[in-house]
Amino acid sequence: MITPLRLAGVLSGVGAVAIVSVLAALAVGPARLGPREVAGAVFGTAQDQMSTTIVLGLRLPRIMLAALAGAGLAVAGAGFQAITRNPLADPSLLGVSSGAAFGVVVAQVLGLGPTPLGFVGLTGFAFVGATVAALAVYLVARVGALLPVQTLLLAGVIVGLFFSSAITLMISLVDVMRLGAILHWLMGNLGPVSYGALRFLAIGLAVGIGVVLTQARALNLLAAGEESALQLGVEAERVKRVIFIAASFVTALVVSFAGPIGFVGLIIPHAVRMLLGADNRLLIPTSVLAGAAFLVLADALSRAVIQPSELPVGVITAFCGAPFFIYLLRTRYRRTL
Amino acid sequence: MSASLALSHVTFGYDGRRVIDDVSVVVRPGEVLAIVGPNSAGKTTLLRLMTRVVMPQQGVVTLDGQDVTRLARVALARAVAVVPQDLALTFPFTALDFVLTGRYPHRPGEFFERVDDVAVARTALAAVAGDHLADRLVSELSGGERQLVLVARALAQRPRVLLMDEPNAHLDLRHQRDLARLIHRLHAEGTTIVLVSHDLNLAAQLADRLLLLAAGRVAALGTPADVLVPETLEAVYGCPVVVDEQETGRPRVSVRWLDDTPVRGGAAR
Ligand SMILES: Nc1ncnc2c1ncn2[C@@H]1O[C@H](COP(=O)(O)OP(=O)(O)OP(=O)(O)O)[C@@H](O)[C@H]1O
Ligand SMILES: [Mg+2]
């Protein structure tokens, strides 16, 4: 049972983990900085300007991008899982991320850059791509009023492949030289980012996640099926549409700034559900913090493994997510397949 | 105050295939009406029409004289609760949390349930002798346990009209008796009850009136003694039956399991 007290308790616990993750991640990077230098930079007591610049100017924005992206992807995953009533749904597995990525590439080809208006345009294109992909998956996968696990996953893979190919085509036609950079971005890329961009992302995500949260209780009722939800007074169609749009929007925002990072939306809600149960009022806010912590740590790892170079963070999340997905398929969801 | 539910010349079909054909019936305030009939006769569909999961293509469904399609969904859910025939529960909610979802229509705008909601939910679980299930996950319950939890959720709605779709299908003798006594008690408290069941003897015992549905039409409507007569049943179900008396004096229907004499009729699809 969920009470304000229990929610607050869980959120403080996971919040503490998230904060520790951020502090740990601040110490990771090519420049060797000890805990004291990092602490000095964070609390403004550092002697040398250099470490402050590295910690606050380079590492912190990137870590914040990771935290925001992780939070968004986790909530988008939880939202798609709730409305498809399919615990294996995830923006990357459903092809929604690829749709958003295609939108981003189109926007870039059209020359939208890192200005406030550019962010709006970028996100707008990504949002259109995401909703088109999500809608396509829904229409392909639907059997009567149901969305069976198998067809949903298959449709997601196919739509994802389609948009990935469309991206490659687009890039090849326009600018072969940039193919490498784009491919890097397509694996999920937490590159340098301005505080202005972070602010834009944070506000957008707050709106999207807030909308998902308002529907959390209704989503619990939807878990027992649409008919049952209707009979308890939930306007099931409306709730599904709201979540569909909000989750696509959140996915689009994250992809616009961090690329289509995979599996976060699968791993995080699932892990939280295993630990705390299925109540969306607990699951969704906890996923915000757990997703943030997870991607911050994954990013720190991606920066640590092959120093001074780095891996796209999507490589790390895929290495965690693919085995997790296979484990879920072979054990928990064996019967539903 | 007991509520009445009425269908007036209701016709409905899925994808153009007619399933309910000009059905009219008034469920009187405080009465127990049993709906019986062969598989796919349209019993569950009638309950869907009563709860506006689907809308009549002709005719009208009213709750206390008001067209249900004009009522807000939550308002309808505050008055009318359903124990569904079957429900796939794959997400790991505890039974208590699941029963608590029955409180949603009473305060749909609030994020948390209140303390009194929890008390109502616990009382509802206790009423089906399901206290021990409170912390179990609904995704891991047996068929009968799940059935009890579904009844408890409907009770937690504190409805004025209770619609039950085969509530005893998964229950053993003891639990069937408990359920019968629960229905009896709710009836005494003034709840209007619609009971869909294949158990004609249970229906005969509990119901004030029976509605026999065959291929989407009303084949018979009346007291158990009026409806449960061999000719009618044999024509509708297409199998030989014997009707005598339960010890309460209500009719008892037995199937002649191994009797090969052909019967006329059989409206089953
Ligand atoms: N969602 C649906 N879409 C299409 N057809 C449906 C749907 N639900 C039910 N039907 C069809 O409508 C008819 C009536 O179904 P309904 O579920 O109302 O029967 P029932 O009397 O409850 O049967 P049972 O005793 O088997 O529960 C059946 O032929 C069924 O196949
Ligand atoms: Mg039925």
Side-chain angles (χ1 to χ4, degrees):
Chain A
M1 205 177 57
I2 164 176
T3 58
L5 201 66
R6 170 141 190 255
L7 181 61
V10 168
L11 290 186
S12 343
V14 184
V17 172
I19 290 171
V20 170
S21 309
V22 168
L23 291 178
L26 280 174
V28 175
R32 294 199 152 275
L33 298 178
R36 188 170 312 140
E37 281 112 329
V38 173
V42 171
F43 297 110
T45 57
Q47 260 84 56
D48 70 309
Q49 192 56 43
M50 191 62 186
S51 60
T52 307
T53 309
I54 290 175
V55 170
L56 296 187
L58 290 175
R59 291 184 187 172
L60 188 60
R62 176 180 179 134
I63 288 167
M64 286 172 68
L65 177 59
L68 290 171
L73 290 172
V75 170
F80 282 124
Q81 286 159 22
I83 56 171
T84 57
R85 247 169 291 129
N86 179 344
L88 295 179
D90 160 85
S92 58
L93 290 173
L94 289 183
V96 180
S97 296
S98 300
F102 179 70
V104 171
V105 171
V106 171
Q108 282 179 341
V109 167
L110 293 178
L112 290 174
T115 60
L117 207 64
F119 294 149
V120 175
L122 216 60
T123 309
F125 274 91
F127 179 55
V128 172
T131 41
V132 167
L135 211 59
V137 170
Y138 175 74
L139 292 176
V140 172
R142 195 175 50 155
V143 179
L146 298 173
L147 279 176
V149 181
Q150 307 94 310
T151 56
L152 192 72
L153 292 177
L154 272 179
V157 168
I158 290 163
V159 169
L161 273 176
F162 175 82
F163 278 108
S164 305
S165 309
I167 291 169
T168 313
L169 176 71
M170 194 88 178
I171 302 296
S172 325
L173 287 179
V174 175
D175 185 357
V176 184
M177 298 310 287
R178 275 172 53 201
L179 203 52
I182 289 283
L183 286 179
H184 204 254
W185 172 80
L186 280 176
M187 272 315 288
N189 178 32
L190 299 166
V193 60
S194 69
Y195 276 104
L198 283 175
R199 200 172 307 125
F200 179 85
L201 178 60
I203 292 170
L205 286 179
V207 171
I209 293 172
V211 168
V212 175
L213 260 181
T214 60
Q215 305 298 315
R217 191 169 172 209
L219 288 176
N220 288 348
L221 280 78
L222 209 57
E226 228 156 289
E227 177 165 342
S228 160
L230 288 171
Q231 289 172 334
L232 284 166
V234 174
E235 292 288 354
E237 275 307 318
R238 193 184 57 80
V239 171
K240 285 200 320 186
R241 211 170 303 136
V242 167
I243 296 297
F244 181 89
I245 291 172
S248 299
F249 174 66
V250 167
T251 306
L253 267 171
V254 172
V255 171
S256 304
F257 289 90
I261 301 166
F263 290 103
V264 182
L266 175 78
I267 299 172
I268 297 303
H270 235 100
V272 174
R273 210 179 282 123
M274 283 177 185
L275 292 173
L276 300 174
D279 195 318
N280 286 290
R281 293 169 294 181
L282 192 57
L283 176 67
I284 293 167
T286 308
S287 293
V288 171
L289 296 174
F294 173 73
L295 205 58
V296 166
L297 290 177
D299 175 53
L301 192 62
S302 78
R303 286 183 284 133
V305 278
I306 48 166
Q307 283 190 21
S309 179
E310 62 182 52
L311 284 171
V313 70
V315 173
I316 307 277
T317 60
F319 278 166
C320 299
F324 186 66
F325 180 75
I326 291 168
Y327 160 76
L328 291 176
L329 265 189
R330 300 300 305 180
T331 55
R332 302 200 141 221
Y333 302 110
R334 210 168 183 150
R335 273 167 301 153
T336 58
L337 287 179
Chain B
M1 187 201 69
S2 300
S4 80
L5 198 59
L7 276 72
S8 164
H9 299 291
V10 170
T11 294
F12 173 80
Y14 298 101
D15 321 308
R17 203 169 56 86
R18 185 166 288 198
V19 170
I20 296 297
D21 194 355
D22 194 25
V23 168
S24 295
V25 58
V26 177
V27 192
R28 298 171 189 151
E31 118 171 295
V32 177
L33 177 81
I35 302 180
V36 298
N39 290 131
S40 79
K43 305 180 296 296
T44 300
T45 304
L46 272 190
L47 300 190
R48 290 194 183 122
L49 285 158
M50 292 173 178
T51 49
R52 218 225 296 175
V53 171
V54 294
M55 306 240 202
Q57 284 148 3
Q58 284 165 41
V60 57
V61 181
T62 56
L63 173 70
D64 288 333
Q66 274 194 296
D67 185 345
V68 296
T69 61
R70 286 166 192 276
L71 280 174
R73 232 176 241 298
V74 279
L76 187 59
R78 277 195 291 270
V80 183
V82 189
V83 178
Q85 185 168 14
D86 199 10
L87 210 53
L89 299 170
T90 49
F91 283 96
F93 286 94
T94 67
L96 181 63
D97 282 337
F98 184 75
V99 173
L100 267 174
T101 61
R103 298 306 295 161
Y104 175 83
H106 293 278
R107 278 191 279 266
E110 295 185 10
F111 194 77
F112 296 102
E113 287 92 5
R114 297 191 190 172
V115 180
D116 55 322
D117 290 324
V118 180
V120 171
R122 285 199 184 277
T123 309
L125 260 180
V128 297
D131 314 69
H132 62 291
L133 300 174
D135 296 323
R136 297 272 308 280
L137 296 180
V138 287
S139 44
E140 296 170 1
L141 295 179
S142 79
E145 290 170 334
R146 194 156 54 221
Q147 192 69 53
L148 295 181
V149 170
L150 287 171
V151 173
R153 184 185 69 170
L155 293 180
Q157 270 172 272
R158 290 272 163 93
R160 293 190 294 138
V161 182
L162 180 59
L163 312 178
M164 307 177 103
D165 201 350
E166 312 275 357
N168 58 341
H170 296 278
L171 300 181
D172 65 27
L173 281 183
R174 219 319 278 300
H175 284 112
Q176 289 195 36
R177 179 167 178 275
D178 289 351
L179 183 82
R181 294 168 72 88
L182 177 67
I183 292 173
H184 197 69
R185 200 194 83 206
L186 292 168
H187 180 37
E189 290 169 8
T191 309
T192 305
I193 295 172
V194 176
L195 171 69
V196 172
S197 183
H198 287 299
D199 187 340
L200 298 178
N201 297 324
L202 180 78
Q205 185 55 54
L206 291 176
D208 300 309
R209 290 190 305 151
L210 258 60
L211 167 64
L212 178 62
L213 199 67
R217 290 166 173 274
V218 179
L221 175 62
T223 64
D226 291 340
V227 173
L228 300 178
V229 292
E231 297 74 46
T232 313
L233 295 175
E234 289 181 350
V236 168
Y237 286 96
C239 80
V241 300
V242 183
V243 180
D244 51 8
E245 263 186 18
Q246 308 191 24
E247 71 270 34
T248 55
R250 301 269 180 137
R252 172 171 58 202
V253 180
S254 326
V255 178
R256 282 159 34 205
W257 296 110
L258 301 177
D259 185 339
D260 285 334
T261 6
V263 292
R264 282 184 303 121
R269 276 184 267 244

